[in-house]
Amino acid sequence: MAKRIITISREFGSGGRFIGEKVAKKLGIAYYDKNIINDIAEKSGLSPEYVQKNAELSPKKGLFAYAFAGRDITGKSVEHMVYEAQRKVILELADKESCVIIGRNADYILKDRDDVLNVFIYGDMPEKTKRIMGLYNVEEKEAVKMMADTDKRRMTNYNFYTDQKWGKTSNYTLCLNSSQLGYDRCEAIIIECAK
């Protein structure tokens, strides 16, 4: 069966977003990344700025943090409301059209569908560091910190909401090292596997 939906989870600096965008373009299908933030904001009743900043965070743990976390009248944390809105948007997009969805636990959210290709893109530290230094115009030390912080947030969020381990190969159909394969080869492999 051809895969209608391609989810791409990625390490920060691996080029996963760039690869996903090219795959969508070559297949002539929709591409969803930060452009779904307004939909999530609308469904959650929160501002797009808040969703952008907090969508990859996990609910606060610990009694003290729990006591002071923002909650709605049912007792749900704001983070949980964002996640639920995000889940609804992703399910609606998958029902509506063929597409590439970047991050946001889409692989897990769509796990019960047969028409999904779940991809994890990772890379070698030296190449990711060089890429981040160039993209964000930062020194090596700052690039390494950005990668560690972003990947830690992604991992914590994924592990919390999915009860799975972020980056674990068995969670994905395909795991690609963009440093070893190059972006063009990664794109070609994803497109071939989606047929």
Side-chain angles (χ1 to χ4, degrees):
M1 173 185 210
K3 304 300 183 189
R4 289 185 52 243
I5 314 296
I6 299 169
T7 71
I8 297 185
S9 302
R10 75 278 182 228
E11 288 181 345
F12 190 65
S14 67
R17 175 177 290 139
F18 175 79
I19 292 166
E21 196 169 10
K22 297 276 268 203
V23 166
K25 231 175 236 168
K26 286 183 179 174
L27 290 174
I29 60 176
Y31 171 79
Y32 294 106
D33 184 15
K34 291 186 171 146
N35 53 341
I36 68 172
I37 286 174
N38 287 334
D39 293 340
I40 295 168
E42 194 177 301
K43 286 205 182 311
S44 66
L46 299 164
S47 75
E49 296 76 24
Y50 183 89
V51 171
Q52 165 108 28
K53 185 177 175 194
N54 295 287
E56 288 187 319
L57 300 177
S58 60
K60 294 166 182 65
K61 295 180 184 174
L63 193 55
F64 186 76
Y66 183 84
F68 291 99
R71 300 192 178 281
D72 71 1
I73 57 169
T74 67
K76 287 182 184 169
S77 71
V78 176
E79 292 92 343
H80 185 75
M81 290 187 297
V82 170
Y83 181 78
E84 278 303 308
Q86 176 175 283
R87 191 178 75 72
K88 285 178 185 163
V89 168
I90 288 169
L91 289 168
E92 286 170 9
L93 292 173
D95 283 342
K96 184 174 84 169
E97 63 188 336
S98 295
C99 59
V100 172
I101 303 172
I102 303 294
R104 308 196 184 284
N105 303 339
D107 61 295
Y108 181 78
I109 292 167
L110 301 173
K111 71 183 183 323
D112 296 328
R113 294 179 64 115
D114 293 332
D115 60 348
V116 178
L117 176 70
N118 293 317
V119 181
F120 186 81
I121 298 177
Y122 61 102
D124 298 338
M125 196 60 154
E127 184 164 308
K128 291 191 304 180
T129 304
K130 187 177 171 186
R131 177 175 167 75
I132 295 303
M133 288 170 64
L135 280 174
Y136 294 94
N137 196 25
V138 295
E139 297 295 319
E140 182 176 349
K141 188 176 178 182
E142 180 61 21
V144 170
K145 182 179 179 342
M146 286 172 72
M147 284 187 290
D149 291 350
T150 303
D151 284 346
K152 183 178 180 184
R153 281 182 27 194
R154 288 175 180 169
M155 178 185 69
T156 302
N157 178 281
Y158 186 88
N159 294 357
F160 183 89
Y161 284 111
T162 69
D163 288 324
Q164 296 183 159
K165 190 168 190 264
W166 181 76
K168 185 178 179 186
T169 56
S170 60
N171 296 340
Y172 309 96
T173 317
L174 190 60
C175 295
L176 302 170
N177 183 329
S178 61
S179 300
Q180 301 294 319
L181 297 169
Y183 295 171
D184 291 345
R185 187 91 187 268
C186 287
E187 290 163 29
I189 291 168
I190 293 167
I191 290 168
E192 183 58 35
C193 290
K195 290 180 181 174

